[in-house]
Amino acid sequence: MDDGTNAAGRFLLTVSTNFLTVPTISESLAGRATILTLWPFSQAELWGSSVGTHSATGAMPPVSAHPTQQSKLTSSAVGASRSTNTVERWFDQDSSLRRAARSSTSRSDYLHKVCIGGFPEVQQLSAHRRNRWFLGYAETVVSRDIAQLGDIRRAAMLPQMLRLAAAQTSSELNVSRWADQLGADRATVQSYLGWLRTAFLVHELSSWRRNRTSRVVQRPKLHVTDSGLAAGLLGLSADALAALNHPMTGPLFETFAVNEIVRLCSAAEMPVSLHHYRDNAQREVDLVLERSDGAVVAVEIKATSSPRPDDLRNLVYFRDRLDAVEPGAFRAGVLLHSGANTLPHDDRVLSASLDTLWQSPR
């Protein structure tokens, strides 16, 4: 790399962890490497949709690329026509989103997608073989990769911690409570959580705030990086999640949706950061997307196939609060659900079938 030839792209280095956070690696390659974060596949990638591109040509660069690099890929590889990336269309207030065609994806279909997730190796496996693959993957990453990279004195606690993360996916992270449940001190839990992030097993949404809005709770919200992995660690099938009032249906559905949006944001032309919102009156918004120019989209996620107007109340509240202090910043509020209809409900607020995230615009 340093021989003076300046031959860009001569080397492709692939790693299974975020090597920039590994303390034992001394060379950062700063200024000499482009870093792409490769998530498990999105539904658009799995089903060949053009969603995620910046052109209507159907050409599709990798949805999982880092946002800065993805914008370079898309601007050079395809034409400059209207975006098909659903997240970008929310920010652009694309009116066609409010009249999307009736969805043919059933709630049962969604739950199967939740339990399969995005790892390419499991897509064609039976449910039994898929769960065995997830357990083997988790054991390999946790017991070998992390244990070898870090100063892990209680390695047996790592699998327990990952299962706890799966059981509490879509929840605010309370490290003190985790420490009590795991029988460990808070500093150890905090350190080991860092290793789960390094190995791309979990990711967190920081709490969203602007100084001119109401006070918010500061805890981040935790998500397992792949909903299929979370379901596999908990031994849950789509049939189990379909049971009335199963406690994990909502959290896993939310994690699946959040992970799909994460992949779309990583392909956006302008960088988008992801957060969650909860104020001191316990009003919550599952996902707050903030573009680098300050524009904001709020997203609520419900596993129900029959959303009610009351499900939109926090989106309306969030819109009104932001309009009052920063007119023009709020672009859209979206309720994603497992039903068939996409309907406008109020000024810049709509409910939409979850598959609008990966179905090509009509």
Side-chain angles (χ1 to χ4, degrees), residues 96-107 110 305-307 337-343 351-356 359-360 362:
S96 66
L97 287 168
R98 304 172 74 87
R99 54 178 187 273
R102 182 178 174 86
S103 172
S104 61
T105 307
S106 68
R107 187 170 185 271
Y110 284 123
S305 57
S306 302
H337 55 78
S338 63
N341 295 316
T342 294
L343 298 169
S351 65
S353 303
L354 181 61
D355 64 5
T356 58
Q359 297 288 1
S360 299
R362 293 174 175 82

Side-chain angles (χ1 to χ4, degrees), residues 139-327:
E139 181 179 354
T140 301
V141 174
V142 169
S143 301
R144 296 296 300 275
D145 291 0
I146 295 179
Q148 288 179 5
L149 285 170
D151 180 17
I152 306 297
R153 298 191 174 113
R154 295 185 58 183
M157 194 175 79
L158 282 167
Q160 293 176 275
M161 183 175 290
L162 184 56
R163 285 193 294 273
L164 182 59
Q168 298 193 19
T169 191
S170 301
S171 300
E172 287 186 356
L173 175 60
N174 188 327
V175 175
S176 297
R177 185 179 300 166
W178 278 40
D180 291 340
Q181 292 175 298
L182 294 166
D185 62 88
R186 194 177 189 280
T188 298
V189 171
Q190 194 74 270
S191 173
Y192 287 13
L193 267 169
W195 284 109
L196 294 185
R197 296 186 207 102
T198 293
F200 296 111
L201 293 170
V202 300
H203 65 103
E204 295 172 9
L205 303 177
S206 61
S207 179
W208 185 89
R209 65 173 176 172
R210 283 183 176 163
N211 292 335
R212 291 166 289 176
T213 59
S214 60
R215 287 186 300 115
V216 297
V217 175
Q218 296 301 304
R219 290 192 183 115
K221 201 169 186 180
L222 184 90
H223 289 278
V224 176
T225 303
D226 184 80
S227 62
L229 175 62
L233 290 170
L234 298 174
L236 293 174
S237 65
D239 290 341
L241 294 177
L244 186 65
N245 296 326
H246 193 289
M248 287 307 301
T249 303
L252 286 172
F253 186 86
E254 181 179 335
T255 285
F256 173 78
V258 167
N259 289 340
E260 287 295 310
I261 293 171
V262 166
R263 288 133 176 77
L264 289 174
C265 287
S266 70
E269 184 75 21
M270 188 177 290
V272 177
S273 58
L274 291 89
H275 312 269
H276 80 100
Y277 175 85
R278 180 158 71 93
D279 66 14
N280 58 338
Q282 308 304 309
R283 286 179 287 253
E284 300 181 49
V285 174
D286 293 327
L287 201 54
V288 178
L289 313 179
E290 185 169 25
R291 208 166 56 182
S292 58
D293 63 355
V296 171
V297 169
V299 181
E300 276 282 274
I301 301 162
K302 302 289 184 184
T304 180
S305 57
S306 302
R308 300 167 297 144
D310 191 52
D311 292 329
L312 296 132
R313 68 184 185 282
N314 287 344
L315 293 175
V316 172
Y317 169 82
F318 186 87
R319 178 203 63 194
D320 293 345
R321 286 288 296 168
L322 194 53
D323 280 352
V325 298
E326 196 165 345

Side-chain angles (χ1 to χ4, degrees), residues 19-27 148-151 195:
F19 80 96
L20 293 177
T21 65
V22 177
T24 55
I25 293 178
S26 58
E27 178 56 71
Q148 288 179 5
L149 285 170
D151 180 17
W195 284 109

